[in-house]
Structures are given as structure tokens and as C-alpha cells.
Amino acid sequence: MSELNNIAQQIIQKGKGILAADESTGTMTKRLESVGVSSTPENRLLFRNTLFSSDAMKSYIGGVILYDETIKQNSLSKNKIPELISGTGAVPGIKVDTGAKILANSTEEKITEGLDGLRERLKEYYKLGARFTKWRAVYIISENYPSKLSIHSNAHALARYSALVQECGMVPIVEPEVLMDGDHEALECFNKTSEVIKKCFDELSRHKVDLKGIILKPNMILPGTNSSKKIDTKKIAELTLKCLKVSVPAEVPGIAFLSGGQSELDATRNLNSINLINDTNFNITYSYGRALQQGALKFWSKNTEDIKGTQKIFNHRVKMCSLASSGKWSENLEKN
Ligand code: 13P
């Protein structure tokens, strides 16, 4: 097995998943202010340090995605944040894109930036302890979107990013996120997500990326947030698995879903339903941001001194997702 494949397998080993704690300062500020906490570097560290030093880390977290600010901070016990994370057995990772900006000649669609100077930044992150990275591309669903231009340019950027990351000895998370916003039906999400993912793999192959050394981070197949045609979790699972089967090459070791705005409960339930019928060789798990942190953040915002109480909520949420990654979750476990 290659070194990259070893790292990927460590991150997505059975019963574990990824904590996406890589919100940019802008996004984290929105999250903190929405619960009445001011967004200072100290507060951002305090909340994240609380999660990173929880019991759930050792048992259920295989990797943590950090933001540039956090990977350079010292933990409250004075060691470096990447050391705090690796001390729990999880792999430190880093978001390396610099955000999605409007694509030239489009009014709404976005292209993710960050390729210029990436090789040098990657070397620095490797020295800081990162062993995997994340780059997120975003796509809108509407009658004319995502356009061929957006699908092609984002796939190209994801492939150039992935090749550079592997060159530096790290595992790239490839994240093509087809957004939930809109009134489209689940079938449209299926068709468009399948097209987006296929195009990503065309480009990854063209750029000679070792597919055994990546992790795919896709969206689940869901109806748009404003769709009148809701479907049940079993149907979500069937469509999602079908999408992976038609678009993801078998060499890919793992799929770690984003939560994308689903509630904590929905993201857990749907992951469980997918794993109940997973007849592929892909290890299918979570790489959740909001769906792992929401409850803990809400509690913490009212009780910033109560580290243990915040960790209790986080531990429970992660345990539920871990069970869902093996198809062993059920709703009555939520009450324990
Ligand atoms: P959500 O799970 O909140 O969608 O975040 C995952 C992520 O990393 C988005 O890039």
C-alpha cells in the first residue's frame, strides 16, 4: 500500500470520520455571532480547543480539517494544535483553497481560487503537521446550472490542486459540493451531481492523480431545500449510492459526506440509511462541519466556561455519526 493510501485509510478507518473545523474567519464569525458570541481569535480557539480535547476524538475522529489561523495556534495546554490532534490518534488536515469567487462571465456561478503559490503553502502546512488537505468547489442547481463552464473549470482546479497535494506527500480531499438551495427534485440533484463527480474524475485522471490516495467529499442526493417533492431517507440512500456507483472509480478508498445544511439528525439518519445498503467497497463516512458542531456550539455560547458540558454534547453527536457510518444507528439511541 502506498503511503498516501495509508494516510487515507487511517482517516476513514471503520467507525471514524472527519471533523470539518475549517470554517474561514468570515464563516466562523457568522456562526459565532448568530449565537451571540463575539468572534475573537481567543473565542474561536476556545471553542475549537474544547472539541479537539473531547473524548470523542480518540474513538470516532480519524481526521480534523483546520483553517490557516487554527493550525498556527497553540492549544490551551500550550502545545501546537496539530500536536493536540495527532495526540488523539486523528490526522491533522488543512483547508487550502482561498474561497469561491464569481466565475468571470457568469453572474452567479463560482470558481474556487487558491492555486497560485499553492506548492509553497503546502510545504509550510506539511511542516506544521498537516497530512491531508481540503479544497471545496461549489455548484448551483437551477434550469441552466451548473453550466459546462463551471463543471469544467472547477474540476480542472480540483485536479491541479490534488496533484500538487500528492506531490507534497499529503492526501487531498476532493470536495465538489452541489448546493441544496433551490426547488429542484432529488432526481435533478442525482443527474447533476453525477455529472459533476464524473467530470472531476476525468480531470483527476488527466492530471495523473493517484486515486488510491484521495478522499471524495460529496453531497448526498437530496431534493432542493424549497422542493415540494420530499423523499424519505431510504430513497435518499438509494439515489446517493446509485450516484456513487455510476460516478466514482473503484480505486477510491473512501467517501466522506459533507452535511451541507442538513440538521444534525437528518445528516445522521441519512448516513445510516446509506450504510445499511452499502454494497460497494467504499468506506462511507462523515466529514461534517455543522452537523457535528451545531448543538455543541449552541450550548457553549450560553456556557463558555462549561467545557465538560459542551464536550458531552459533542461526544454524543460524534458517537451517533460513528454508529451511522456502520449502519448501526437508530433514532432511540438519540435519547440516551
Ligand atoms: P458542512 O458539513 O457544514 O456542510 O461542512 C462541511 C465542509 O467542510 C464544507 O466545506
Side-chain angles (χ1 to χ4, degrees):
M1 251 193 302
S2 73
E3 182 53 26
L4 292 176
N5 184 256
N6 278 337
I7 299 171
Q9 298 289 359
Q10 189 187 342
I11 297 168
I12 47 130
Q13 61 189 274
K14 204 69 208 151
K16 293 196 178 184
I18 299 170
L19 167 61
D22 61 318
E23 299 86 358
S24 65
T25 301
T27 302
M28 198 58 188
T29 298
K30 277 189 217 141
R31 302 255 159 94
L32 290 176
E33 287 179 351
S34 76
V35 291
V37 177
S38 67
S39 182
T40 59
E42 294 73 29
N43 280 343
R44 294 193 287 272
L45 176 66
L46 186 59
F47 179 64
R48 287 166 166 159
N49 197 94
T50 302
L51 306 186
F52 303 162
S53 47
S54 66
D55 290 342
M57 291 290 298
K58 283 197 182 80
S59 317
Y60 310 124
I61 298 290
V64 179
I65 320 174
L66 299 168
Y67 183 59
D68 182 75
E69 174 185 69
T70 325
I71 200 170
K72 294 172 180 165
Q73 279 172 322
N74 281 335
S75 75
L76 298 186
S77 46
K78 300 286 174 253
N79 53 350
K80 300 270 176 213
I81 288 285
E83 284 168 18
L84 172 65
I85 290 167
S86 28
T88 69
V91 182
I94 180 78
K95 167 197 174 80
V96 300
D97 67 67
T98 55
K101 313 279 159 59
I102 289 289
L103 184 60
N105 291 324
S106 174
T107 49
E108 289 169 271
E109 293 192 288
K110 291 186 173 170
I111 178 74
T112 303
E113 297 188 345
L115 287 170
D116 287 351
L118 181 58
R119 184 178 268 133
E120 288 67 37
R121 287 196 292 126
L122 290 172
K123 284 181 188 154
E124 188 195 349
Y125 288 136
Y126 188 95
K127 277 196 205 135
L128 290 169
R131 290 297 176 268
F132 76 105
T133 65
K134 182 189 108 170
W135 180 289
R136 170 176 173 261
V138 279
Y139 309 84
I140 315 170
I141 295 190
S142 70
E143 200 181 325
N144 300 315
Y145 297 150
S147 65
K148 298 281 177 221
L149 180 64
S150 145
I151 294 175
H152 180 87
S153 18
N154 276 299
H156 179 82
L158 276 165
R160 283 189 57 200
Y161 141 82
S162 300
L164 283 166
V165 170
Q166 290 193 336
E167 180 190 279
C168 286
M170 295 186 279
V171 167
I173 290 194
V174 174
E175 181 178 6
E177 176 175 6
V178 180
L179 296 171
M180 282 166 66
D181 308 330
D183 54 11
H184 52 272
E185 291 181 27
L187 193 59
E188 199 170 353
C189 178
F190 170 85
N191 289 332
K192 296 196 165 163
T193 303
S194 305
E195 186 184 355
V196 160
I197 297 178
K198 274 185 205 158
K199 188 70 190 170
C200 286
F201 281 104
D202 286 352
E203 287 292 327
L204 289 170
S205 298
R206 189 165 294 125
H207 288 254
K208 304 188 171 59
V209 172
D210 172 8
L211 298 185
K212 294 196 185 73
I214 72 157
I215 295 169
L216 179 71
K217 176 163 171 164
N219 50 283
M220 293 178 189
I221 304 301
L222 301 164
T225 325
N226 297 323
S227 172
S228 53
K229 300 237 170 78
K230 300 294 176 212
I231 56 172
D232 64 15
T233 188
K234 195 162 167 274
K235 189 74 192 158
I236 290 169
E238 283 166 13
L239 285 172
T240 304
L241 206 58
K242 189 170 163 199
C243 168
L244 299 178
K245 285 182 185 172
V246 297
S247 56
V248 185
E251 301 99 288
V252 174
I255 315 263
F257 285 106
L258 57 93
S259 59
Q262 296 183 74
S263 69
E264 291 180 327
L265 209 54
D266 283 349
T268 311
R269 181 187 293 111
N270 290 334
L271 179 63
N272 190 66
S273 304
I274 294 166
N275 275 299
L276 278 176
I277 57 164
N278 181 14
D279 56 355
T280 69
N281 287 326
F282 303 131
N283 198 0
I284 300 184
T285 187
Y286 46 93
S287 176
Y288 293 164
R290 285 161 286 181
L292 284 181
Q293 298 182 50
Q294 236 158 36
L297 180 63
K298 205 166 152 209
F299 177 87
W300 177 79
S301 68
K302 304 272 177 295
N303 312 272
T304 47
E305 306 288 305
D306 190 354
I307 306 290
K308 288 271 173 266
T310 307
Q311 289 177 335
K312 195 171 166 217
I313 294 172
F314 180 68
N315 288 337
H316 172 76
R317 194 70 256 134
V318 189
K319 184 177 179 187
M320 294 298 104
C321 287
S322 166
L323 289 168
S325 73
S326 302
K328 291 184 181 150
W329 172 87
S330 69
E331 193 143 2
N332 52 18
L333 296 171
E334 291 287 346
K335 295 179 200 100
N336 296 338

